[in-house]
Amino acid sequence: MKHLLSTADLDAATATEILDIATEMASVSGREIKKLPTLRGRTVVNLFYEDSTRTRISFEAAAKRLSADVINFSAKGSSVEKGESLKDTAWTLQAMGADAVVIRHPASGAPHRLANWVTGSVLNAGDGTHEHPTQALLDAYTMRSRMGRLDGLHVAIVGDVLHSRVARSNVLLLNTLGAKVTLVGPPTLVPTDLNASVQVAYDLDAVLPQADVVMMLRVQRERMTDSYFPSAREYSRRYGLDGARLRRMPAHAIVMHPGPMNRGMEITPEVADSPRSTIVEQVTNGVSVRMACLYLLLGGAR
Amino acid sequence: MTVRRTPVTILIRNARVLGGEPTDLLLRDGVIAEIGPGLAADGAEVVDGTGLVALPGLVDLHTHLREPGREDAETVYTGSRAAALGGYTAVCAMANTSPVADTAGVVEQVYRLGQEAGLVDVQPIGAVTVGLAGERLAELGAMADSAARVRVFSDDGFCVADPRLMRRALEYVKAFDGVIAQHAEEPRLTQGAQMHEGDVSARLGLTGWPAVAEESIIARDVLLAGHVGARLHVCHVSTAGSVDIIRMAKARGVRVTAEVTPHHLLLTHDKAESYDPVYKVNPPLRTDADVEALREGLRDGTIDIVATDHAPHAAEDKECEWAYARPGMLGLETALPIVLDVLGEDWPLIAERMSYAPARIAGLDGHGNALTAGAPANLTLVDPTVRWSVDPTGLASLSHNTPYAGMTVPGRIVATFLRGVPTVLDGKVQK
């Protein structure tokens, strides 16, 4: 595996391998000295065109725990703000000898373009409304550790699927790993032709009793002014997860959220902070999963 | 930079006019003086047309020459070279230059640049609205009365979305037999749009450009054109639904004509999977079903013409993220090969769709005439047996954004004549 651009590029064996390696990496994170020498002398560049402190520090922690040298390149206040093109930035990183570039970009497909212009590995850390592969992998990791399996799980992904890179990566990966996916949200926010192997539902209450996992997506308030739905209040009433809805879920079912949350919009504090919520675990698991990805891409394996 | 002006007499030997029996054509004083087998050379320069098909010079109703404003992407001269090499003798230059061709001054400038280049007749198209802003009419009459004699008006790149303004424009240009060429795109339905709305856009996370945004404007416009009894031309039709609407309007007697581009006849939206913006174009590449419907519409005459929408872009506007790239593709040098590939060697149909009909719509009397004695000597010679591989850097355009790079296409343009003067000979521009 040279790049990680889309979860569509992962077959079941590779995806499972990443999750298995992540399990091993998690044990490192539990040690007093949380560090492996694996990527000593390798350079990982975090190239972030969007503000995302959470994802950036997760990748940074992952690379550092593998002893890689980490360079953070934020588009703000840099040559990018002075109008430098992605291609020129790519050549700069190339000249500096980046072994891997972790890229977060507001334009869908930017990591695919970057992969044409650098010789190192490219890791997609979220591109526009396209994909966020490591988020899907950490979600799968979290489901597997909570539920013990992925095959046959019923996962409901709820909210703004149309604009969600998390949803796209999850749909593809969960399909590959044998889970069943139902997309839930107002019809304005759920693309019907995303994938033949998902179900689409508009009634959250009908889906909840059958779900093993309910993954809530962040809904941006701007969608309201674009008439995707009439008001935040109506959205919450129809598609928000509150205590009453949590109790309609099977007893074993878990609640996930990729963060950052809009408390009171798509999820109530009662649900977010309940023991059935995996939101904090997801953050922890993110580091292990990203360690596994860097390890695989940078040739640490075998 | 200009074509040799000395009067030449040229005898084309053994060319097959529209694929018919080999014959000779004598070009003298800008017209086809004689046509028939075994003509005497009489001191004329002889061009061997053996194995070549003679077509009336092609006419492009939709070309972006980028001058004035973006001379780094294309100029009237370089675009004229590309046109001549593509078999064209006339091109209509779109108005979205900088400054916009919305005054007599700008259209006359473009017209004059075309005359100076001298390789094809460059017929400027005037903007419908001031600055293409869609708010008030440009001085359409002044452009019509100018030296450029503008008859086609278009805000191409933008839709004349305001229905009242569109109605007025359609009505107003009746005074000088003008036509409004509409870029049919309901702007409210295509905000931020990047590619055809469908399964591929959903997967790629690129904002969709729904077919209905084109179809709803065409439906409105054919009704408006019918209501005021005016001529409407629809630019770059891209969907099956649009073909249906135009077919219905024609059956009802609406004076509507329509064009399709070579790329919409061949390429589909899955090309976007590479995220390479060389495939980004407006309207976007659509589905297989749309391509089929467009081909059928072109064959049955629902779609009157093939127009290139030749849209050169500088490298920095294409070698970037998809969403930041400008839409558009080169077309002049590959149009005939792509149409040959799509329609086959139906030469009379190709002549109608790429020469006669576009000249009629544009009101270019000197072009789009059948190759008969006395007709203006605007013609091109094609070798249909040659297949060639498209090399972006080998094209005459200043820009390289062809979607056909590396593809092998049929049909090489061997020679082009503008009023009897060779602009291309042996596949090379005569400057």
Side-chain angles (χ1 to χ4, degrees), chain A residues 51-70:
Chain A
D51 291 325
S52 176
T53 311
R54 305 161 59 95
T55 306
R56 185 183 57 74
I57 61 174
S58 180
F59 269 105
E60 189 171 349
K64 284 181 170 168
R65 280 182 199 175
L66 293 170
S67 305
D69 295 320
V70 180

Side-chain angles (χ1 to χ4, degrees), chain B residues 102-399:
Chain B
D102 59 1
T103 62
V106 179
V107 293
E108 285 187 348
Q109 181 196 356
V110 172
Y111 178 72
R112 211 178 50 246
L113 288 167
Q115 293 286 303
E116 284 167 13
L119 291 162
V120 292
D121 283 345
V122 174
Q123 172 58 55
I125 290 173
V128 178
T129 67
V130 175
L132 309 177
E135 285 162 6
R136 56 198 175 86
L137 291 183
E139 288 190 349
L140 308 177
M143 290 188 272
D145 294 340
S146 75
R149 293 188 64 259
V150 176
R151 290 294 177 273
V152 182
F153 299 89
S154 181
D155 275 2
D156 182 60
F158 299 95
C159 182
V160 182
D162 180 338
R164 195 170 71 145
L165 194 58
M166 184 61 182
R167 175 206 165 133
R168 297 278 191 259
L170 286 165
E171 279 180 302
Y172 190 80
V173 301
K174 284 164 69 177
F176 33 88
D177 197 28
V179 60
I180 305 296
Q182 175 73 294
H183 170 117
E185 173 184 356
E186 167 50 57
R188 293 286 290 153
L189 290 174
T190 56
Q191 276 181 15
Q194 296 294 330
M195 65 172 295
H196 173 66
E197 182 175 299
D199 57 333
V200 181
S201 70
R203 192 150 32 85
L204 296 183
L206 291 170
T207 305
W209 198 129
V212 64
E214 174 174 306
E215 293 154 5
S216 59
I217 290 292
I218 296 176
R220 180 199 78 178
D221 286 354
V222 294
L223 293 173
L224 280 175
H227 180 63
V228 300
R231 282 172 68 202
L232 168 72
H233 178 74
V234 186
C235 295
H236 42 52
V237 170
S238 72
T239 80
S242 299
V243 176
D244 286 342
I245 292 163
I246 294 164
R247 190 177 283 128
M248 198 157 59
K250 284 189 166 183
R252 289 170 58 164
V254 175
R255 297 167 71 202
V256 57
T257 54
E259 74 190 31
V260 63
T261 69
H263 48 270
H264 287 114
L265 288 170
L266 191 71
L267 306 174
T268 49
H269 61 154
D270 48 292
K271 288 282 183 202
E273 280 168 2
S274 63
Y275 285 106
D276 184 344
V278 78
Y279 300 112
K280 180 172 172 176
V281 63
N282 191 16
L285 301 176
R286 305 274 186 194
T287 67
D288 285 324
D290 293 308
V291 166
E292 264 321 300
L294 292 168
R295 291 178 176 194
E296 192 192 324
L298 185 64
R299 286 196 193 94
D300 73 18
T302 302
I303 295 175
D304 302 79
I305 67 170
V306 175
T308 65
D309 197 3
H310 178 79
H313 285 299
E316 66 269 23
D317 290 323
K318 284 292 189 182
E319 286 185 2
C320 60
E321 298 85 333
W322 179 284
Y324 305 161
R326 288 175 191 267
M329 301 173 165
L330 297 185
L332 286 169
E333 290 169 80
T334 46
L336 183 60
I338 300 300
V339 171
L340 254 179
D341 194 38
V342 166
L343 290 183
E345 292 184 29
D346 187 342
W347 301 107
L349 185 65
I350 290 172
E352 172 64 24
R353 299 284 183 263
M354 297 184 78
S355 177
Y356 304 154
R360 259 193 327 264
I361 295 166
L364 294 172
D365 297 336
H367 292 272
N369 296 291
L371 299 180
T372 52
N378 297 319
L379 65 151
T380 188
L381 301 176
V382 188
D383 187 342
T385 63
V386 173
R387 298 181 68 85
W388 54 286
S389 173
V390 180
D391 169 12
T393 58
L395 300 175
S397 179
L398 271 188
S399 299

